[in-house]
Amino acid sequence: YRNTALIQILSVGGTSSLVFLICWVGAVIDWIWKHSFSWVKTRSYITATVVLLTFVLGLGWWRQAIPLDPAKVVRVGGVVAEDKAFEHDAIIVLVGSVRTGTSITDQQRKAYMKELNQRTESFLLRSQIAVQDGAKIVYWSEAALVMLKEDEADVLKRAATFAENQQVYLGLAYACILNQREGPFLENKLVLFSPQGRVINDYQKNLIPPGEP
């Protein structure tokens, strides 16, 4: 993502275009390797790859060089987690209790609520900074917060109030722990709020990559 010229291709073909480039280059490298770096056998593929990448990067550099009309630019802010919520002790205990069917103590509940409130406040504060910098759309990183299903409504209410007060679109990404021992034990969600504080998109991740809970 640091190669801003390269990712300009997203404005042309979306994520699929970038995935295509990655797969194409990987396949060509594999082809070259299998043919022992023989120029005679691989030159057509190497030439095509160089031409393609030159065109894509050239298009990206050209696009970035075009002066932008500030009136037509929508600034987007991203708030990224400084660490993984699932690695915090309070969350580890919470997940363990759900998976084993045991109840958490009052002390553990207080520790979890303290963690949730502090993390929520931190993300809202950094969202405020993004808004002050001119962002009209703010998104949080995946699973920025981890909470019990019963606490979801309160967090969403805070997010809705923020979006309405700041007159921005706010994409709240979080994980809800479900009180069940079998099957999926959490919901990985993204809820988008409008500047009026209304939910305009409620997305739940369904296709989970290997290794994710």
Side-chain angles (χ1 to χ4, degrees):
Y1 292 105
R2 294 181 179 179
N3 192 332
T4 54
L6 177 63
I7 62 174
Q8 297 303 311
I9 192 66
L10 296 175
S11 64
V12 178
T15 306
S16 299
S17 59
L18 186 58
V19 172
F20 170 78
L21 284 177
I22 294 172
C23 294
W24 174 281
V25 173
V28 170
I29 292 174
D30 181 65
W31 180 265
I32 296 171
W33 183 276
K34 286 183 177 179
H35 288 81
S36 303
F37 300 93
S38 172
W39 171 251
V40 174
K41 295 180 179 180
T42 61
R43 60 185 176 185
S44 59
Y45 295 94
I46 294 176
T47 302
T49 302
V50 171
V51 170
L52 177 62
L53 291 179
T54 301
F55 173 76
V56 170
L57 291 173
L59 178 65
W61 287 322
W62 172 78
R63 190 171 188 271
Q64 292 181 100
I66 298 176
L68 296 176
D69 182 357
K72 297 181 179 180
V73 174
V74 177
R75 192 176 182 89
V76 179
V79 183
V80 181
E82 298 174 346
D83 54 14
K84 296 181 179 180
F86 281 104
E87 295 179 351
H88 287 226
D89 291 341
I91 303 301
I92 293 174
V93 170
L94 192 65
V95 173
S97 67
V98 171
R99 298 304 281 176
T100 57
T102 57
S103 300
I104 60 174
T105 64
D106 291 340
Q107 184 177 0
Q108 291 170 337
R109 170 74 183 182
K110 289 180 180 178
Y112 149 70
M113 287 303 301
K114 180 180 179 181
E115 164 70 18
L116 176 60
N117 288 328
Q118 288 180 343
R119 200 170 180 87
T120 303
E121 191 63 33
S122 173
F123 270 84
L124 289 175
L125 177 61
R126 286 186 285 159
S127 298
Q128 175 70 45
I129 295 174
V131 173
Q132 291 173 350
D133 287 340
K136 298 298 182 183
I137 304 172
V138 180
Y139 272 98
W140 294 5
S141 58
E142 183 177 8
L145 305 177
V146 179
M147 67 195 76
L148 289 171
K149 188 67 175 178
E150 61 196 66
D151 299 315
E152 180 181 21
D154 290 338
V155 174
L156 293 181
K157 184 177 181 180
R158 293 181 65 179
T161 300
F162 178 90
E164 184 176 12
N165 290 343
Q166 301 299 324
Q167 287 296 289
V168 296
Y169 290 91
L170 176 64
L172 180 68
Y174 60 95
C176 265
I177 300 176
L178 305 177
N179 189 19
Q180 56 188 34
R181 298 180 62 181
E182 297 181 0
F185 72 92
L186 62 81
E187 295 174 340
N188 192 344
K189 305 181 72 174
L190 171 65
V191 177
L192 180 62
F193 291 92
S194 70
Q196 291 73 40
R198 295 195 298 267
V199 175
I200 56 177
N201 191 19
D202 188 341
Y203 170 77
Q204 181 174 330
K205 189 175 183 179
N206 294 311
L207 301 177
I208 309 299
E212 290 193 8

